[in-house]
Amino acid sequence: MTVRSCATTATFPRNRGRRIVTSNSHVFARRLRVFDSTLRDGEQAPGNAMNPEQKLELALAIEATGVDTIEAGFPSSSPSDFEATKLIAQALTTAKVATLNRAVRADIQLAAEAGGIDHQIQIMATGSDVHLEHKRGITRAEGLKEIVDSVRFARELGFTDITLGIEDASRGSDDLLRPMIEAGVAEGARTVALADTTGCLIPSEFGAQVTRVRSWIHDDIILSIHCHQDLGLSLANALAGIDAGADEVQSTLAGIGERAGNTPLEELAAVLLYKAEQLGVTSRLRTEKLYDAYLILSRIIGLPTPRNKAVFGENSFATQAGIHQAGMLRNPVTYEYVEPHRFGRERGILIGRHSGRNVIRNTLDQMGLGVESELLDAIYDTYIASREDGTCIELGELRHIITERLGHATASAAPSDLAVTAP
């Protein structure tokens, strides 16, 4: 646990839920758990299917990022998920294995066979009247009864790490949610997971719900949150949940998942890296391992990398704008808050039609050539000013161009007569 000194005016926001414990002159940031659902919620989205061996490869890479829990799959959904759960449960050494299951005894029995009774078993509860009526066709009383029976059955099998996962909790009323949460906890659930299944809430709404639920359960019960991206607010809602007292965030690599996806693990990690003090939390994430895991995911499922994706995007740490390059060539901090090396990435200075002369001048200096105005102007005119499309060249290519031009000019003219013309 990281200990931070406490100034006269604390930098943490107001304590909500279990944010901070103060003792004398020190402030203790609470430990946030990170739960990865890439292999379950991420994998079940169209186009993301993986076989058991691929899931195992990715699970080991995700484990290296420092997440606390890895959801291996939904064992009752297919023989493939059952086998993947077995492989992953046997292979992981630092992360806990989790499975998702319906609130029926057959699912729970299969989960025990696949992952053993030491893994974290998540039992789904139906958390809204919309789902009770239109999806399940059961009453509130029947939904409550199956929670009690399934959690009790899991405990009888020997499970001790039981999660009550409430699907569509964000559209559930308090008078529906509170009895099922209290019943699940009374039967032995040690974690309550709230799912904004349709991604329908804004941060103030989700934070308020987390605050209410936190007040219904004892401090030793873990409160987990699972947010979706349908309104583009999964990370914002997760942060609101943390602020309201959530102990765990469920996320996926690159935010893959049903429909628009889930809270992106890498974006959550970036916020926790740079804003831990403001949030009053710490995690054990190893951000430098995230990109390696992403590359494995991308290869396995054929996921194209967007240009503008935070952390993982092609252009996340690249620029071609001359006004930006002028600052970054002097000091990257001028336009770079998130540092590429912390995420296993490299900075990219690209030369395109929006670049200026500074990047050429800087390259000439780095090559120990000084600034030849005619050479600089020729390269600028050919590779920047005359470029009509959006393509770019990298610094290595620029150095090669300069070297070739100098070599060609030297071979055809005396040094005193050196002149460079555009090809």
Side-chain angles (χ1 to χ4, degrees):
M1 181 176 290
T2 302
V3 180
R4 304 181 186 276
S5 61
C6 181
T8 303
T9 303
T11 55
F12 297 126
R14 182 182 297 275
N15 181 17
R16 298 175 68 183
R18 293 189 292 169
R19 160 164 311 206
I20 319 164
V21 177
T22 59
S23 175
N24 298 325
S25 61
H26 294 90
V27 174
F28 297 88
R30 64 187 175 90
R31 170 89 145 72
L32 182 75
R33 299 175 57 84
V34 178
F35 179 111
D36 183 85
S37 188
T38 305
L39 303 177
R40 200 277 303 167
D41 198 318
E43 195 257 356
Q44 73 185 34
N48 295 347
M50 307 176 216
N51 63 42
E53 291 73 23
Q54 291 171 329
K55 276 195 169 188
L56 175 60
E57 179 188 5
L58 185 54
L60 292 172
I62 293 171
E63 182 180 42
T65 70
V67 299
D68 297 279
T69 307
I70 294 176
E71 190 175 23
F74 197 151
S76 68
S77 67
S78 69
S80 178
D81 262 28
F82 182 90
E83 181 61 25
T85 300
K86 287 183 66 175
L87 291 175
I88 293 168
Q90 293 166 4
L92 298 189
T93 58
T94 60
K96 185 106 179 185
V97 176
T99 60
L100 185 67
N101 308 272
R102 294 170 299 181
V104 296
R105 293 192 173 205
D107 277 21
I108 296 166
Q109 183 67 54
L110 271 177
E113 295 170 9
I117 60 171
D118 293 330
H119 82 273
Q120 181 184 122
I121 185 164
Q122 296 188 106
I123 298 173
M124 280 194 296
T126 306
S128 70
D129 288 314
V130 171
H131 277 210
L132 285 169
E133 179 182 355
H134 299 291
K135 174 188 173 184
R136 301 292 312 285
I138 61 175
T139 65
R140 285 188 174 192
E142 289 170 322
L144 186 61
K145 181 180 178 182
E146 68 181 15
I147 290 169
V148 171
D149 180 70
S150 57
V151 174
R152 183 178 297 170
F153 179 67
R155 189 161 45 82
E156 289 171 353
L157 287 179
F159 283 100
T160 57
D161 194 351
I162 303 171
T163 295
L164 180 67
I166 307 177
E167 187 181 26
D168 206 29
S170 53
R171 293 192 291 179
S173 60
D174 287 1
D175 61 343
L176 170 63
L177 296 175
R178 185 165 186 172
M180 70 171 59
I181 289 171
E182 291 178 342
V185 169
E187 289 298 330
R190 307 311 299 162
T191 299
V192 173
L194 295 179
D196 182 16
T197 302
T198 60
C200 65
L201 297 187
I202 61 175
S204 59
E205 293 174 308
F206 190 64
Q209 184 179 56
V210 172
T211 297
R212 293 194 303 275
V213 174
R214 179 78 266 172
S215 72
W216 301 341
I217 56 180
H218 197 271
D219 281 354
D220 64 354
I221 301 300
I222 295 170
L223 182 55
S224 182
I225 53 177
H226 180 102
C227 302
H228 275 264
Q229 185 73 348
D230 298 73
L231 293 176
L233 295 172
S234 62
L235 178 61
N237 282 338
L239 296 177
I242 294 170
D243 187 57
D247 304 294
E248 178 179 82
V249 175
Q250 300 192 4
S251 59
T252 63
L253 271 175
I256 66 169
E258 286 285 4
R259 303 179 311 281
N262 297 70
T263 304
L265 173 60
E266 68 281 0
E267 294 179 19
L268 174 66
V271 174
L272 295 179
L273 176 64
Y274 289 102
K275 298 296 182 180
E277 187 173 349
Q278 288 83 350
L279 291 169
V281 297
T282 62
S283 78
R284 68 175 198 176
L285 289 175
R286 301 177 61 192
T287 57
E288 73 278 6
K289 298 292 186 180
L290 287 166
Y291 192 59
D292 289 342
Y294 168 72
L295 291 177
I296 293 172
L297 170 69
S298 181
R299 167 173 56 80
I300 289 175
I301 67 173
L303 182 68
T305 299
R307 293 174 185 162
N308 62 333
K309 182 80 169 62
V311 182
F312 290 159
E314 289 183 359
N315 293 340
S316 296
F317 302 103
T319 180
Q320 69 142 333
I323 193 169
H324 288 199
Q325 290 177 347
M328 291 187 68
L329 290 169
R330 292 176 175 86
N331 190 328
V333 75
T334 52
Y335 286 97
E336 191 177 88
Y337 180 72
V338 179
E339 302 154 289
H341 72 275
R342 290 181 176 269
F343 295 89
R345 304 292 306 276
E346 293 182 359
R347 183 177 301 115
I349 301 292
L350 304 179
I351 295 88
R353 68 185 184 89
H354 294 293
S355 302
R357 286 179 167 81
N358 275 311
V359 66
I360 305 173
R361 186 178 293 111
N362 182 269
T363 302
L364 289 167
D365 286 342
Q366 287 185 346
M367 294 175 70
L369 299 175
V371 178
E372 293 281 351
S373 60
E374 292 183 2
L375 175 62
L376 189 153
D377 289 344
I379 293 174
Y380 176 80
D381 290 342
T382 302
Y383 294 97
I384 296 177
S386 299
R387 189 177 293 273
E388 296 182 354
D389 57 19
T391 61
C392 300
I393 62 173
E394 298 182 355
L395 281 178
E397 295 175 78
L398 177 60
R399 293 189 187 97
H400 181 70
I401 289 166
I402 292 171
T403 300
E404 278 198 336
R405 282 175 170 272
L406 284 174
H408 175 73
T410 303
S412 58
S416 59
D417 299 324
L418 185 64
V420 178
T421 58

